[in-house]
Amino acid sequence: MYAQMIKSEATQDDPEKLAAFQARIDAGEKIEPKDWMPEGYRKTLIRQIGQHAHSEIVGQLPEGNWITRAPTLERKAILLAKVQDEAGHGLYLYCAAETLGVSRDEITEMLLDGRMKYSSIFNYPTLNWADIGAVGWLVDGAAIMNQVPLQRTSFGPYSRAMIRICKEESFHQRQGYDAIRQMAEGTPEQKKMAQDALNRLWYPSLMMFGPSDKDSVHSAQSMAWKIKMNTNDELRQKFVDQTVPQAEYLGLTIPDPDLKWNDERGHYDYTDPDWSEFFDVIKGNGPCNVDRLAARNKAWDDGAWVRDGLLAHAKKKAARQHAAE
Ligand code: 3HC
């Protein structure tokens, strides 16, 4: 339905302008905020960048949950830095979305009342310390796989934000791999915890790339506009190919009995996630959806006095300036 809306909006645009716009995209030019753009392009970007920003912010919750219980001071400092980085990523992305004419308050409110989504992965709980290692390894690993190509996306502010974000995400993935490696090389009990974390987080991580290509509503148009650089299945396959040897190195088993190297394709064959679970989670029925949105709503309500105070201060300053003129 959203796709139809975008299509009809795109066709309302002047065909000559549309063709010139597509030629700029095809030539690899960056589109900047004040440039002419089809309404569908603008809306698709607001949806994708906004959803991405919300994911960074909501993604702080499952990890923030473990800051006070990190096993050592070093791990605590690393986790604290990582969670702060995620807040920064959210802010860069909200700023990029604002250049498209939507305020941060507007898209935040759309998250809080359920009109906008955030990544499905953050609706799963982090039950123990091994999960924090697995989140860094798998979730940040999947996030980078998707985000490295987005550094070349056609919209300038989004592409520039992604360059900085990817540098930090790469550190996040490595710290996660190091934390899970320590568990996997630890006592039998710790190795069991690492395997259990992999068992629970493997399929939710594969779901992060979105539905299979045949069910992806937006891919075709988004790829033509270079808002997306790859299809969901292409990136999922790259992630599987990269992660299987890493699991082997750790002595852990990917929870997929049908996973095997396919010489002909030059890729691993793997079992798809249960897509009915994915669609259920993005509809709001995952294990943590209610808690996550309640936490974000509470943070928003608790911060109202700060926003009101800043606004009152800005109004007063403007009135004083006006009176002096
Ligand atoms: N979680 C929630 N919703 C998802 C989803 C996911 N993992 N994957 C797809 N969807 C939704 C889409 O938003 C769309 O619904 P909508 O029309 O209501 O918006 C629907 O499922 C159909 O999917 P499509 O494939 O047609 O959607 P897209 O073309 O937007 O592709 C995407 C989905 C690959 C996630 C794309 O939006 C994208 O590349 N986004 C940028 C990256 C991003 O958002 N990453 C968040 C990861 S978490 C993170 O970065 C935090 C870090 O700290 C770990």
Side-chain angles (χ1 to χ4, degrees), residues 35-83:
D35 294 350
W36 183 87
M37 61 184 77
E39 190 54 16
Y41 178 84
R42 195 180 69 83
K43 287 202 163 153
T44 302
L45 277 170
I46 291 174
R47 180 184 62 79
Q48 180 167 314
I49 300 173
Q51 180 171 316
H52 191 166
H54 299 326
S55 305
E56 302 282 354
I57 299 299
V58 177
Q60 292 180 104
L61 295 170
E63 292 187 295
N65 182 31
W66 279 89
I67 292 173
T68 53
R69 291 173 287 169
T72 65
L73 182 59
E74 190 191 8
R75 290 283 173 209
K76 188 186 178 104
I78 293 171
L79 186 59
L80 198 58
K82 177 186 190 300
V83 173

Side-chain angles (χ1 to χ4, degrees), residues 319-325:
R320 248 191 264 126
Q321 249 169 2
H322 187 68
E325 276 164 15

Side-chain angles (χ1 to χ4, degrees), residues 166 184 262:
C166 283
N262 183 327

Side-chain angles (χ1 to χ4, degrees), residues 159-228:
S159 141
R160 291 188 286 275
M162 290 318 305
I163 293 170
R164 177 130 183 216
I165 290 176
C166 283
K167 287 200 173 101
E168 292 174 350
E169 292 292 6
S170 156
F171 149 70
H172 296 172
Q173 196 270 351
R174 281 166 203 206
Q175 67 80 36
Y177 192 68
D178 186 58
I180 199 89
R181 182 195 52 74
Q182 222 172 0
M183 297 289 286
E185 292 173 356
T187 62
E189 188 58 34
Q190 285 173 321
K191 183 164 183 179
K192 214 168 131 197
M193 284 169 73
Q195 180 63 55
D196 174 58
L198 172 58
N199 292 349
R200 281 180 291 105
L201 289 166
W202 174 250
Y203 283 108
S205 301
L206 293 191
M207 291 176 195
M208 286 174 70
F209 297 96
S212 60
D213 289 350
K214 65 177 172 38
D215 295 319
S216 170
V217 191
H218 305 293
S219 281
Q221 181 61 81
S222 290
M223 285 177 69
W225 277 332
K226 294 189 184 162
I227 290 175
K228 272 171 92 164

Side-chain angles (χ1 to χ4, degrees), residues 91-118:
L91 299 189
Y92 309 151
L93 290 163
Y94 284 129
C95 289
E98 281 186 317
T99 68
L100 290 154
V102 63
S103 76
R104 184 169 150 192
D105 282 9
E106 277 174 283
I107 50 176
T108 301
E109 276 159 12
M110 287 169 84
L111 165 74
L112 298 180
D113 67 17
R115 277 175 293 157
M116 274 183 95
K117 295 186 169 74
Y118 57 91

